[in-house]
Amino acid sequence: MTQAQVMIAGGGIGGLTLALTLDQIGVPFVLFESVGVLKPLGVGINIQPNAIRELLELGITTEELDRVGLPTQEWALVGQSGSEIHAEPRGLKAGYRWPQYGVHRGQLHMMLYDKLLARAGASRVRLGSRVTGYRNNPDGTVTATVEQQDGNLSYHHGTLLIGADGIHSAVRAQMHPEQPPIHWGGAMMWRGTTRARPLRTGASFIGLGTHKQRMVIYPISAPDEDGLASINWIAEVTYDSAEQYPTGWFRPARVEDFIEHFEDWTYDWLDVKELLKGAELVFENPMIDRDPVPTWQDRNVALMGDAAHAMYPTGSNGASQAIIDARVLGAKMIAHGVSPDALSAYDEQLCGPVSQLILRNRGAGPFGLLDIVNDRCDGIFDDIDAVVSPEERSAFMADYKAMAGFAIDALNSSPPTIAAGATVSI
């Protein structure tokens, strides 16, 4: 083989960000995606400032991001009584150099895909092609086994293979054949969007409820001329029995299936029942993750995104971390070439810390403040400062931000992950 080539298994947000990064730094690649036609699937996700920085440094503009989402101004945690537990500014309002965004996941996905086609060309993407396995070869190359939609197999050779193929990753299954099954902790989520008036600042991310049942609510579009925006919401209930997680994933659901848990959640600033009943579409998801693995690398093969670190969505880290993974991989290739050494450096930097983040999110992530409040007063309080002091609340959030990689001072002062104009010598 005369030229280095990276094979990417999976065309989700992480895989597309990696492809855009490789195009930016001059590394040939081919991306295999199992679906035959990409569509804008899903509802809202949050993208943290550390990941928005990377998208901007890829040449994506805030004007483009504004077309798929809305900059977040506030993060607020509210008890089931409707009283505030903790609130703080986010993104530019908090002093970050980069915004935080609430976006429509499918629209962001398609924006990245369209950007990739425009920059690298359609020949770099193979739709209807699923990587089902790999072989590290004696000559230092890697061969990917690819299954087409008609069931036929083909074999593709390259320098590196990156498994960005999600929580059900075939690449991870081969790399770690003894891994435990997917972990479900007993929580079910129903996700949807409703046209409604934004709450609080108009661009607030709100966590509402208890550690047993809660709502997450935030806008993913600017208001229209009638003052209505697309409001993303997640209704979550944790059950006492968690023996086996349900098999459905983004399965269409009905509000009637779960609204009973939120019938009485009515406040002077929000009627949860009316918000849910106005849903345009609803999906059901079990809240699942995978146990951390000791390494994301097998010689010329590495994992990224959910294939490496599927985690509970309690800290808005899933898509953000996948974007970070892609950029760190690119930086390590600049430093070490398109080589297993680059994968080793990537694995050393991220695998351990992100594994700890998986476990932290399993313990409720930033919503762990709800556990503290429930433990101390059963969630009922007149003065939150008497239950959890402002200093303790701020320290709790600062600790989480540091673990998740978006502590403000550290992020604002850090150099670019990939220097402007940097390329790989091949």
Side-chain angles (χ1 to χ4, degrees):
M1 205 171 64
T2 59
Q3 190 177 47
Q5 177 171 258
V6 176
M7 298 179 291
I8 305 170
I13 288 173
L16 291 174
T17 303
L18 177 58
L20 285 165
T21 296
L22 296 178
D23 179 70
Q24 181 186 55
I25 65 177
V27 175
F29 66 91
V30 59
L31 184 150
F32 299 100
E33 166 54 43
S34 61
V35 304
V37 178
L38 285 180
K39 298 179 180 180
L41 302 177
V43 283
I45 57 174
N46 234 256
I47 309 293
Q48 302 289 4
N50 55 341
I52 293 296
R53 175 177 83 158
E54 302 300 338
L55 294 180
L56 296 178
E57 291 179 357
L58 265 175
I60 293 164
T61 66
T62 53
E63 290 76 16
E64 289 172 314
L65 290 171
D66 286 342
R67 288 198 285 271
V68 301
L70 185 74
T72 303
Q73 297 183 16
E74 180 192 45
W75 191 91
L77 192 62
V78 180
Q80 189 174 348
S81 64
S83 299
E84 182 178 295
I85 292 173
H86 179 75
E88 60 182 39
R90 281 294 176 96
L92 298 177
K93 288 283 187 179
Y96 285 96
R97 293 171 56 195
W98 306 274
Q100 178 174 329
Y101 266 83
V103 302
H104 187 289
R105 186 252 176 228
Q107 293 176 14
L108 174 66
H109 186 210
M110 296 307 297
M111 184 189 76
L112 295 174
Y113 180 57
D114 291 342
K115 187 76 69 175
L116 179 63
L117 294 183
R119 292 183 181 180
S123 64
R124 293 291 184 185
V125 180
R126 311 285 175 83
L127 298 178
S129 303
R130 178 175 180 263
V131 174
T132 59
Y134 65 86
R135 181 179 67 251
N136 278 306
N137 302 315
D139 65 356
T141 64
V142 60
T143 299
T145 302
V146 179
E147 181 180 18
Q148 312 303 321
Q149 286 188 316
D150 61 9
N152 288 330
L153 298 180
S154 58
Y155 302 91
H156 298 262
H157 308 284
T159 309
L160 302 175
L161 169 64
I162 309 300
D165 48 342
I167 192 169
H168 299 291
S169 168
V171 178
R172 175 177 170 133
Q174 180 174 337
M175 187 181 295
H176 296 284
E178 303 302 322
Q179 66 177 339
I182 288 174
H183 171 267
W184 180 53
M188 285 297 299
M189 297 181 295
W190 293 269
R191 310 172 77 118
T193 58
T194 300
R195 295 295 296 180
R197 295 187 181 280
L199 302 169
R200 293 177 65 99
T201 67
S204 294
F205 180 105
I206 303 167
L208 165 67
T210 73
H211 68 297
K212 282 289 189 180
Q213 58 190 82
R214 65 172 178 252
M215 294 285 302
V216 174
I217 305 167
Y218 58 91
I220 55 175
S221 75
D224 60 19
E225 61 276 10
D226 295 322
L228 303 180
S230 182
I231 305 298
N232 183 81
W233 51 260
I234 303 169
E236 179 187 323
V237 176
T238 299
Y239 298 98
D240 293 331
S241 176
E243 296 177 2
Q244 184 176 359
Y245 79 95
T247 56
W249 182 251
F250 263 100
R251 180 170 55 195
R254 304 176 309 154
V255 170
E256 291 78 13
D257 296 336
F258 61 92
I259 197 170
E260 63 180 296
H261 300 287
F262 304 94
E263 288 274 0
D264 300 327
W265 289 32
T266 304
Y267 316 101
D268 57 3
W269 56 278
L270 170 66
D271 187 329
V272 170
K273 182 178 178 181
E274 288 303 308
L275 179 71
L276 297 178
K277 287 172 63 177
E280 300 170 310
L281 74 171
V282 182
F283 298 101
E284 179 183 80
N285 292 77
M287 186 180 285
I288 54 179
D289 67 4
R290 282 198 181 276
D291 289 346
V293 289
T295 181
W296 298 345
Q297 183 192 12
D298 177 13
R299 293 171 55 189
N300 290 59
V301 182
L303 305 172
M304 66 169 292
D306 279 354
H309 49 68
M311 64 182 81
Y312 284 2
T314 54
S316 303
N317 304 118
S320 295
Q321 188 59 51
I323 292 167
I324 299 298
D325 294 350
R327 301 295 287 168
V328 172
L329 273 167
K332 299 309 181 186
M333 290 183 200
I334 292 171
H336 301 280
V338 183
S339 69
D341 288 343
L343 303 187
S344 296
Y346 156 79
D347 186 58
E348 182 178 356
Q349 177 174 329
L350 293 183
C351 181
V354 177
S355 294
Q356 292 302 310
L357 185 59
I358 294 171
L359 299 178
R360 179 71 176 264
N361 278 0
R362 189 177 287 181
F367 293 107
L369 276 173
L370 291 175
D371 294 342
I372 295 173
V373 172
N374 276 274
D375 289 344
R376 295 181 183 178
C377 66
D378 291 327
I380 301 172
F381 56 87
D382 294 319
D383 179 7
I384 188 59
D385 291 348
V387 180
V388 187
S389 71
E391 294 77 16
E392 185 178 1
R393 300 197 301 271
S394 295
F396 182 95
M397 292 304 303
D399 181 59
Y400 185 82
K401 291 174 196 172
M403 175 170 283
F406 61 100
I408 184 168
D409 292 339
L411 180 60
N412 281 352
S413 62
S414 64
T417 304
I418 295 176
T423 59
V424 173
S425 298
I426 299 177

